[in-house]
Amino acid sequence: MLDPLKTWKLFLVSTITLKPLDLLLFLLKTTLVILTVASISLFFHFAFSNQYVRFSSPIFNNNQHQKFIAVNSSSSGQVYGRTNLSNVLFGIGGSAKTWNDRRHYSQLWWRPNVTRGFVWLDEIPPGAGEELQPTSPPYKISEDTSRFKYTCWYGSRSAVRMARIVKESFELGLDNVRWFVLGDDDTLFFLENLLTVLNKYDHNQMYYVGGNSESVEQDVIHSYNMAYGGGGFAVSYALAAELVKVLDGCIDRYASFYGSDQKVQACMSEIGIPVTKELGFHQVDIRGNPYGLLAAHPLAPLVSLHHLDYVQPIFPGMTQIESLKKLTTAYEMDPSRALQQSFCYDLKRNRSISVSWGYTVQLYPYIVTAKKLETAFSTFQSWKTWQNGPFTFNTRPVEEDPCARPLSYFLDHAESVDGNRTRTRYARHVEESGKECDKPDYARASGVKFVGVSSAKLNPAIWSMAPRRQCCEVISGGEGADHLVQVKIRGCHRFETVTPP
Ligand SMILES: *[C@@H]1O[C@H](CO)[C@@H](O)[C@H](O)[C@H]1NC(C)=O
Ligand SMILES: *[C@@H]1O[C@H](CO)[C@@H](O)[C@H](O)[C@H]1NC(C)=O
Ligand SMILES: *[C@@H]1O[C@H](CO)[C@@H](O)[C@H](O)[C@H]1NC(C)=O
Ligand SMILES: *[C@@H]1O[C@H](CO)[C@@H](O)[C@H](O)[C@H]1NC(C)=O
Ligand SMILES: *[C@@H]1O[C@H](CO)[C@@H](O)[C@H](O)[C@H]1NC(C)=O
């Protein structure tokens, strides 16, 4: 930067040796420089003080204003409306061999004539003639990838084909695409919540949005910086446009990498784009019973579930597909609230209640701290080594002693009320091992056969604000003939906390 004082000194020194005409010219030039410097510093002063006033003003400093900016204007100054499903192109990785067994997962979330995209297969699947039934994504056959290198000895070459789905999707050149969303043929997407999450980000900027593996051993081997492909991830149009230029090169350069998601991430690393982690994408790299994970979901909209053939059905006594259909019926009534946890105490009866909306309720005949209630029960093991952890979140053990476990309830009914509220009911589930606690508090609590939960539908706009778990209160204690505990979920009052007496 030019320092006005130095320029002035320079001027004084040089005038000594200059002719009159030169002097006049030099004088003019120098004045110009000084004026420019002065106006630049004035501009900076104005801009910064203006910004300071703007950001500290309570009128502007609210979430609505921030949301308005996020939704309407982009870095390029363009104005655009909300992203809807017509702006999303799905690229599902599949194979002819697995497609017929796995298409029922896609059928759970695919909306014919609404969702756009393709499942990418290696060859024409058996029974392709019936393909005209439009209940699952149409298929496309991937380009030949035999010219690419793949050297991971324990992996499968198909990773190359999968990695190129984003490129082949981009090169279709379809109109109005803002986001490419990649997933596997056994990924279940929750579309409203996917849109809620995508609408937090500007597709004209370069975004790579997804989540990690739950199993630390996986993140250590593959990467913490990667969006796991099975949980699904989203690439903004602006990023896809750069990615496709380098992708084929990356595939050869990172030939030793196991997975397609890893090869894509290596390219992101070359472009310089980190993953934006969203906690609702679930790779489900776990074994056993996913109950603990789903009963203590992080405070984020549920976006995806994966690996559902590798874990036990999420509802007892049902197949996985039946289970997911059940979860989906509740989900559809209030997408933003699906699996959202709320907990409250019944101080009169010395009980704690934890609700994972649309899925399960836990009733403890004693007081449990919020800190404990938000920690997932370790009902599952790690992906590769089937150990009790570590995971990328904390877990707590399921106690052997039945007196140290909650009574559990599973969703058995969900209904919409007045269009803007829901009522869900959860029925007591007794484990087959059948060992029950015989303490009096416990015996009284086990008279509770159902838990009913009422709540207003959760406005998706809350997901663009600072997150806070919602509060609940116990309306009735379950002594009636219906054996029903009634709980109401609502936004917390100011200064309300879940604090033991
Ligand atoms: C900004 O977006 C909102 C919601 O999509 C819309 O109602 C509003 O008219 C938009 N404003 C402008 C200036 O485009
Ligand atoms: C979705 O957004 C596009 C703009 O990209 C708009 O033209 C279309 O009408 C919207 N569709 C729905 C169903 O809102
Ligand atoms: C989808 O669109 C096609 C052609 O526009 C139409 O023939 C078909 O009935 C539609 N399917 C559904 C389920 O709406
Ligand atoms: C409530 O439970 C706690 C243990 O969590 C116990 O210490 C306390 O005595 C109980 N209070 C009543 C009134 O039952
Ligand atoms: C919910 O719907 C009912 C009936 O349609 C209406 O009376 C009530 O005002 C609505 N409440 C809110 C918060 O929108």
Side-chain angles (χ1 to χ4, degrees):
M1 260 291 233
L2 272 172
D3 177 344
L5 210 74
K6 261 195 202 143
T7 321
W8 184 244
K9 273 189 201 149
L10 193 75
F11 169 65
L12 283 181
V13 172
S14 23
T15 41
I16 298 162
T17 57
L18 285 174
K19 286 181 223 116
L21 191 69
D22 283 351
L23 181 66
L24 194 72
L25 253 167
F26 189 74
L27 204 76
L28 259 165
K29 276 189 193 162
T30 316
T31 316
L32 242 158
V33 166
I34 291 173
L35 269 172
T36 312
V37 168
S39 58
I40 285 173
S41 46
L42 241 161
F43 168 77
F44 270 98
H45 176 77
F46 182 76
F48 278 123
S49 53
N50 190 35
Q51 215 165 34
Y52 175 74
V53 170
R54 237 168 30 132
F55 285 131
S56 64
S57 155
I59 297 166
F60 286 105
N61 196 9
N62 66 39
N63 284 307
Q64 240 110 31
H65 180 63
Q66 280 164 12
K67 185 161 169 53
F68 173 82
I69 289 177
V71 170
N72 290 49
S73 61
S74 77
S75 59
S76 51
Q78 268 177 296
V79 170
Y80 60 89
R82 274 186 72 78
T83 289
N84 61 42
L85 285 176
S86 75
N87 307 125
V88 176
L89 188 66
F90 288 95
I92 307 301
S95 70
K97 223 164 87 194
T98 58
W99 180 231
N100 272 330
D101 288 338
R102 286 186 168 176
R103 64 192 303 161
H104 50 261
Y105 285 120
S106 303
Q107 284 167 348
L108 287 171
W109 61 270
W110 187 257
R111 296 194 197 148
N113 290 359
V114 177
T115 37
R116 303 167 75 194
F118 303 93
V119 56
W120 294 83
L121 305 176
D122 44 352
E123 54 187 35
I124 297 174
E130 306 144 34
E131 210 51 38
L132 295 172
Q133 49 161 342
T135 55
S136 47
Y139 72 85
K140 278 196 181 290
I141 306 299
S142 303
E143 282 169 22
D144 177 33
T145 53
S146 54
R147 68 181 186 280
F148 291 98
K149 281 193 268 182
Y150 186 82
T151 59
C152 178
W153 63 269
Y154 58 91
S156 152
R157 263 203 83 80
S158 62
V160 172
R161 192 171 66 77
M162 303 293 174
R164 294 187 81 254
I165 289 176
V166 61
K167 181 171 156 80
E168 291 193 54
S169 298
F170 183 88
E171 286 168 354
L172 294 174
L174 298 179
D175 282 350
N176 254 324
V177 176
R178 297 180 181 181
W179 293 92
F180 296 88
V181 173
L182 293 312
D184 283 354
D185 53 1
D186 60 343
T187 306
L188 173 56
F189 283 109
F190 295 86
L191 296 174
E192 289 77 8
N193 292 347
L194 174 67
L195 290 177
T196 297
V197 165
L198 295 183
N199 270 298
K200 286 166 67 176
Y201 307 104
D202 177 353
H203 59 280
N204 295 300
Q205 296 184 37
M206 293 200 274
Y207 279 111
Y208 167 48
V209 185
N212 270 168
S213 169
E214 292 81 358
S215 288
V216 164
E217 60 194 23
Q218 289 289 96
D219 293 316
V220 169
I221 297 170
H222 301 297
S223 175
Y224 276 101
N225 299 333
M226 169 174 113
Y228 280 64
F233 61 93
V235 177
S236 65
Y237 188 90
L239 177 55
E242 299 219 3
L243 177 63
V244 299
K245 295 250 187 279
V246 283
L247 186 65
D248 283 348
C250 293
I251 287 173
D252 277 339
R253 272 192 294 289
Y254 304 99
S256 67
F257 285 11
Y258 169 83
S260 58
D261 42 8
Q262 235 178 331
K263 293 171 195 289
V264 168
Q265 193 274 325
C267 243
M268 297 296 188
S269 170
E270 293 193 1
I271 302 169
I273 303 298
V275 58
T276 297
K277 287 179 191 168
E278 276 286 345
L279 296 172
F281 288 88
H282 298 288
Q283 167 80 4
V284 192
D285 269 350
I286 56 174
R287 307 282 182 166
N289 191 340
Y291 179 80
L293 177 66
L294 304 180
H297 193 267
L299 197 51
L302 169 66
V303 176
S304 70
L305 291 172
H306 175 238
H307 272 163
L308 294 158
D309 280 340
Y310 296 86
V311 288
Q312 288 167 21
I314 65 171
F315 284 103
M318 286 189 165
T319 65
Q320 193 64 291
I321 287 293
E322 286 166 350
S323 297
L324 296 170
K325 281 185 179 153
K326 183 171 213 172
L327 183 69
T328 307
T329 55
Y331 162 79
E332 280 169 355
M333 285 176 200
D334 190 358
S336 280
R337 198 183 286 286
L339 299 190
Q340 296 307 306
Q341 205 185 2
S342 285
F343 26 82
C344 41
Y345 298 135
D346 178 350
L347 292 179
K348 214 165 112 196
R349 299 172 189 84
N350 214 17
R351 291 177 184 162
S352 313
I353 289 180
S354 165
V355 179
S356 167
W357 190 89
Y359 179 50
T360 187
V361 171
Q362 293 160 358
L363 174 75
Y364 299 77
Y366 47 92
I367 299 298
V368 183
T369 61
K371 181 75 198 122
K372 251 196 177 156
L373 292 172
E374 72 177 11
T375 306
F377 274 120
S378 87
T379 57
F380 44 85
Q381 293 80 45
S382 63
W383 178 251
K384 203 177 164 69
T385 59
W386 298 68
Q387 299 298 303
N388 286 326
F391 299 102
T392 49
F393 47 86
N394 296 106
T395 55
R396 55 183 169 133
V398 181
E399 303 285 348
E400 282 293 324
D401 175 8
C403 297
R405 293 182 183 195
L407 299 142
S408 58
Y409 300 78
F410 282 93
L411 179 76
D412 84 334
H413 181 74
E415 65 185 25
S416 214
V417 187
D418 294 339
N420 53 19
R421 297 190 62 81
T422 60
R423 270 201 294 257
T424 48
R425 195 179 67 170
Y426 306 80
R428 173 86 197 278
H429 171 69
V430 183
E431 276 171 59
E432 268 143 39
S433 69
K435 250 175 64 185
E436 287 215 36
C437 174
D438 50 14
K439 287 190 183 159
D441 285 351
Y442 223 95
R444 264 192 300 279
S446 64
V448 178
K449 301 293 180 228
F450 299 100
V451 178
V453 174
S454 81
S455 60
K457 293 189 181 175
L458 201 55
N459 184 347
I462 67 135
W463 293 121
S464 58
M465 301 177 189
R468 184 180 185 182
R469 193 180 58 231
Q470 287 215 314
C471 288
C472 60
E473 53 191 273
V474 176
I475 308 290
S476 69
E479 283 88 4
D482 52 3
H483 307 287
L484 175 78
V485 163
Q486 279 286 2
V487 174
K488 180 182 168 189
I489 300 181
R490 50 160 178 77
C492 301
H493 301 311
R494 199 157 180 234
F495 302 120
E496 182 175 3
T497 55
V498 181
T499 304

